[in-house]
Amino acid sequence: MLRLPGNATCSSVAASQAFVDSNSMEIRFVSSLTPDDEERLAQPLLQLVCSVLDQLPLAYTLRIETTSGTAVQRTHESIESDDEFEY
């Protein structure tokens, strides 16, 4: 386990097989927010990240789970386009 001054203990977390398959990616974000702040910021953070992902030609499901157990989620299907996408 990794312990940094002023931060919570970090450890390796196994991915939940309910959401992960061979064609998926799971990203974990650990913050120093209070549970109340997590509750307040979960929806705006979801909207912000989705506004970026919506510009890309990909399908995604983004789920944010707070420490208190609240979950917000958005699923977006891939956009079929004749235009070539440039990175």
Side-chain angles (χ1 to χ4, degrees):
M1 278 199 231
L2 173 64
R3 176 104 177 149
L4 300 174
N7 292 328
T9 302
C10 297
S11 62
S12 177
V13 178
S16 168
Q17 291 303 313
F19 295 105
V20 179
D21 63 29
S22 62
N23 294 319
S24 67
M25 173 175 45
E26 183 172 313
I27 300 171
R28 299 239 174 197
F29 175 74
V30 178
S31 75
S32 60
L33 294 172
T34 66
D36 289 340
D37 287 341
E38 285 184 5
E39 291 292 321
R40 186 172 52 85
L41 294 174
Q43 188 65 40
L45 181 59
L46 179 74
Q47 291 172 342
L48 176 67
V49 174
C50 287
S51 70
V52 173
L53 293 176
D54 286 347
Q55 305 304 310
L56 303 173
L58 55 87
Y60 68 86
T61 296
L62 180 60
R63 179 180 178 91
I64 298 175
E65 297 178 10
T66 65
T67 302
S68 62
T70 300
V72 292
Q73 178 174 313
R74 176 151 186 249
T75 299
H76 181 21
E77 294 185 18
S78 180
I79 300 171
E80 296 294 327
S81 175
D82 293 334
D83 299 331
E84 184 176 320
F85 185 77
E86 294 183 28
Y87 290 93

